[in-house]
């Protein structure tokens, strides 16, 4: 009997699945809604199953999930209780949950050593060196994620208040942001008090756009953020000697490729494949009967 | 009939009151518990009245609050609804509520022009120039209060995570902080997620102490924070030409006097009096019958 392997890339806005044969050839794909196992595990379970069924249907296969093996990459997977809850309720024969970073790494690098920097709302750096995985950063907005879109948007709000008070020179960027808040600092404060990382992050594209126009404040914020990413990439290079493939992933990847230090830009390479492909590869490698 | 004036310095941990005659001579003082009009206005009202009664008793006067005029300086007084609620329920003949910054300014400078920097858990800068009051900063921990104890403690936690990941060099300071969290970054993240500004601020004395010992990370954090205070003092000096008295107030005042740029250190002068005295002065000035 043919053995099927499902890779799943579960995120806060959508859940993507792909089904492959034992050689890792992708036969079909499916997509459903949000699958945040931490904040809403039951909805996540429903969407994981739905995406998997759609992938089987897309492949022209009977939707027999109970005979398949699945590997899920999910955001914030280091939340033990949520992982246990979801693992116990998945409709597959065998299943494993790993971090979304790990499937992204596998997709980008295949089985080779190297490093990825995921620069989106947050930031995390992952190195594979002689088969071992090293994580750097990724501790979230409040005390980490330096260089991420949320921190960048937050910095822009802070600069706007400093410009409002005449403490630092304003620019077209700070004027634009103050315009959005009716030039009332209290509105900025109220926004910030209730804002989640994604809310701060929605101001990052404004910084990126003004920096591209040469706005001095936006350029300073971009360079500060890029130098924080440079520092993390330096630390990654200390682990693996800076020899392997280096891939930038995430919503700010293209932006940062222009701001990073030359020593890192010279190493940049496009990812071999996406995270979903990485999930499929890991599913076949780790869940195949008799796999090590 | 003798007219009495009450000055009140209301804070998050205690409420202090002083009663004075029409010439501003302080006759008695009283102290009670927390008076945060924003988070708990009814308790604040109770403690304001209690502190005022104790001041009358201390002065050997009948406790007839209903004939007295009172001026209250309170934290976060720019919260319209809470101010209206409290003002309507105070037991005095006449009353006014102003910011805690304004009574601190009056206490420190008397009637002269000049500036104060309040550097505690947060930071705010107030300038009086040709009788006009200018406020700079003071927008709270989330997008302001640069150089304050909460931001300093927060920076120390962030540095500790960067040191943990090998992104920046560690030091005795980052080791001490990681020790406190069992060297588990997730514990730092959990703490930060729930922390209020005062919780971050409780790590500031550790930074101050290690900087005094020459710890390189602590020194960098102190210098970064001091340069943010320098920038705000530069903006204050642009308002008044940097000619008036400059007083540092708040829990970090003494610490910062060693880290500020020479151009500001040379201007520093001790405050003439404390905020409670300032409240009494303002009560007499603004509430005396026939006062302008």
């Amino acid at each position: 009997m043919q053995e099927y392997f499902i890779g799943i890339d579960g995120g806060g806005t959508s859940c993507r699945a792909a089904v492959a044969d034992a050689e890792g050839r992708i036969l079909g794909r499916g997509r459903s809604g949000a699958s945040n196992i931490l904040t809403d595990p039951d909805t996540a379970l429903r969407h994981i199953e739905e995406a998997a069924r759609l992938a089987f249907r897309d492949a022209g296969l009977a939707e027999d999930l109970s005979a398949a093996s699945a590997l899920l990459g999910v955001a914030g997977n280091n939340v033990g209780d949520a992982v246990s809850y979801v693992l116990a309720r998945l409709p597959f024969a065998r299943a494993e949950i790993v971090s979304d970073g790990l499937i992204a790494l596998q997709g980008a690098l295949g089985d080779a050593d190297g490093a990825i920097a995921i620069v989106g709302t947050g930031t995390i750096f992952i190195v594979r060196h002689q088969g071992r995985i090293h994580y750097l950063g990724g501790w979230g907005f409040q005390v980490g994620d330096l260089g991420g879109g949320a921190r960048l948007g937050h910095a822009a709000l802070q600069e706007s208040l400093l410009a409002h008070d005449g403490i630092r020179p304003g620019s077209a960027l700070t004027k634009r942001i103050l315009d959005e808040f009716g030039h009332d600092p209290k509105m900025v404060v109220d926004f910030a008090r209730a804002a989640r990382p994604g809310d701060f992050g929605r101001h990052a594209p404004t910084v990126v756009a003004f920096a591209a126009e040469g706005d001095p404040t936006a350029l300073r914020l971009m360079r500060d953020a890029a130098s924080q990413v440079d520092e993390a990439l330096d630390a990654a290079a200390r682990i693996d000697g800076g020899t392997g493939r280096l891939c930038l992933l995430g919503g700010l990847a293209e932006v940062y490729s222009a701001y990073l230090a030359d020593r890192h830009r010279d190493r940049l390479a496009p990812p071999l494949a996406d995270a979903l492909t990485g999930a499929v590869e890991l599913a076949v490698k780790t869940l195949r009967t008799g796999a090590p």
Side-chain angles (χ1 to χ4, degrees), chain A:
Chain A
M1 177 186 158
Q2 175 70 41
E3 203 179 356
Y4 293 110
F5 296 88
I6 303 169
I8 291 177
D9 180 9
T13 53
S14 73
C15 179
R16 299 187 306 146
V19 59
D21 62 21
E23 279 68 49
R25 281 183 295 256
I26 292 180
L27 309 171
R29 295 164 188 274
R31 184 182 196 120
S32 62
S35 55
N36 189 320
I37 71 165
L38 181 61
T39 59
D40 190 352
D42 291 311
T43 300
L45 276 163
R46 198 154 42 78
H47 285 151
I48 288 165
E49 179 165 347
E50 183 186 338
R53 285 195 187 283
L54 290 170
F56 268 72
R57 195 179 305 170
D58 184 49
L61 298 167
E63 295 171 24
D64 185 12
L65 303 185
S66 67
S69 298
L71 183 132
L72 291 74
V74 296
N77 82 310
N78 51 6
V79 282
D81 289 351
V83 166
S84 307
Y85 181 91
V86 169
L87 261 184
R89 287 161 180 78
L90 287 168
F92 311 111
R94 298 170 75 192
E96 190 169 342
I97 295 182
V98 301
S99 75
D100 51 356
L102 194 62
I103 63 171
L105 180 87
Q106 181 69 33
L109 306 179
D111 292 334
D113 278 356
I116 62 169
I118 307 181
V119 285
T121 301
T123 53
I124 188 166
F125 305 85
I126 312 177
V127 183
R128 182 161 57 201
H129 181 54
Q130 299 178 344
R132 273 196 60 193
I133 308 288
H134 306 257
Y135 293 85
L136 292 81
W139 299 116
F141 171 75
Q142 191 59 259
V143 280
D145 283 3
L146 277 69
R151 297 291 294 246
L152 198 57
H154 172 268
L157 297 186
Q158 185 165 286
E159 284 297 320
S160 301
L161 291 182
L162 291 169
H164 173 274
D165 288 344
I167 294 175
R168 288 194 193 153
S171 74
L173 170 68
T174 60
K175 187 181 174 310
R176 163 71 62 91
I177 291 191
L178 288 170
D179 280 346
E180 282 182 40
F181 290 96
H183 285 261
D184 183 351
K186 290 200 197 79
M187 298 294 288
V188 180
V189 172
D190 286 347
F191 170 85
R193 203 171 278 155
R196 288 168 307 171
D199 300 323
F200 285 114
R202 273 189 280 283
H203 291 277
T206 311
V207 182
V208 171
F210 276 80
E213 302 282 317
D215 183 275
T217 301
L219 275 171
R220 177 163 52 79
L221 297 183
M222 283 306 304
R223 286 170 183 152
D224 285 352
S227 86
Q228 293 169 334
V229 174
D230 279 335
E231 280 187 296
L233 291 176
D234 286 333
R238 283 193 291 273
I239 293 171
D240 71 356
T243 50
R245 188 182 197 86
L246 171 64
C247 302
L248 288 189
L249 309 173
L252 288 171
E254 205 177 325
V255 170
Y256 271 117
S257 64
Y259 286 96
L260 292 182
D262 287 344
R263 63 185 179 280
H264 300 307
R265 289 172 66 178
D266 295 346
R267 281 183 63 201
L268 292 180
L272 297 175
D274 66 3
L276 181 59
T277 306
V280 170
E281 290 179 19
L282 287 177
V284 174
K285 281 211 301 187
T286 65
L287 298 172
R288 193 165 49 192
T289 315

